[in-house]
């Protein structure tokens, strides 16, 4: 298990799970948060474009990582880190403090899953990122 956890396959797997859990969180935002907080149609369409571009870049970086690309690995690490800091880590401190979390329901599950998968992806991606190049190539 230890060797799988330190492999590129683990980094790709956890990155995909982090992406899917963030996509779920994005759908929840689109359904419940954005209409409530930003009822303006143009602003909500802008959010949809930003989410689409972000998820497309993230998916591309994961595919590139799976194919052994160093640039893809760096992009996957950076996007995962930004999303991890922007949403699940800041959720209890900025977006939804204790009183809000008591009523957040499914958002708590989505954020906790995203936090767990995002942290696992960050660890496994960083293991790949800081691994010597010749070892990473030999693994492929």
């Amino acid at each position: 298990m230890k060797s799988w956890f330190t492999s590129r396959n683990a980094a790709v797997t956890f990155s995909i799970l982090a992406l899917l859990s963030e996509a779920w969180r994005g759908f929840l935002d689109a359904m419940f948060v954005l209409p409530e907080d930003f009822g303006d149609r143009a602003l909500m369409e802008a959010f949809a474009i930003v989410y689409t571009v972000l998820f497309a870049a993230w998916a591309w970086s994961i595919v590139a990582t799976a194919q052994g690309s160093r640039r893809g690995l760096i992009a996957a690490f950076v996007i995962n880190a930004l999303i991890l800091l922007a949403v699940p880590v800041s959720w209890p401190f900025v977006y939804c403090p204790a009183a809000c979390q008591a009523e957040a329901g499914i958002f708590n599950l989505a954020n906790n899953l995203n936090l767990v998968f995002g942290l696992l992806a960050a660890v496994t991606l960083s293991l790949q990122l800081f691994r010597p190049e010749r070892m990473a190539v030999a693994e492929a």
Side-chain angles (χ1 to χ4, degrees):
M1 180 70 166
K2 183 180 178 188
S3 63
W4 181 82
F5 187 78
T6 60
S7 72
R8 184 181 335 143
N9 288 340
V12 169
T13 299
F14 288 128
S15 295
I16 290 169
L17 291 171
L19 172 63
L20 289 174
S21 62
E22 181 55 36
W24 178 31
R25 178 65 169 82
F27 286 129
L28 290 173
D29 276 346
M31 290 172 47
F32 300 111
V33 176
L34 296 178
E36 184 79 24
D37 292 346
F38 308 103
D40 179 32
R41 181 181 171 106
L43 190 57
M44 291 188 339
E45 289 171 355
F47 273 109
I49 291 169
V50 169
Y51 268 113
T52 302
V53 169
L54 176 68
F55 290 150
W58 201 355
W60 167 85
S61 71
I62 294 169
V63 168
T65 298
Q67 295 173 345
S69 167
R70 182 96 174 139
R71 286 184 182 165
L73 177 62
I74 292 168
F77 181 81
V78 168
I79 293 170
N80 182 70
L82 289 173
I83 297 301
L84 188 63
L85 292 174
V87 180
V89 170
S90 61
W91 167 257
F93 305 110
V94 178
Y95 300 122
C96 191
C100 167
Q101 287 185 27
E103 299 176 7
I106 197 79
F107 280 92
N108 287 325
L109 178 60
N111 280 315
N112 288 333
L113 284 175
N114 192 232
L115 181 60
V116 168
F117 292 138
L119 287 172
L120 288 170
V123 168
T124 55
L125 287 166
S126 66
L127 288 172
Q128 295 302 304
L129 195 59
F130 298 115
R131 153 185 269 184
E133 290 257 353
R134 62 182 168 354
M135 280 182 68
V137 171
E139 179 184 319

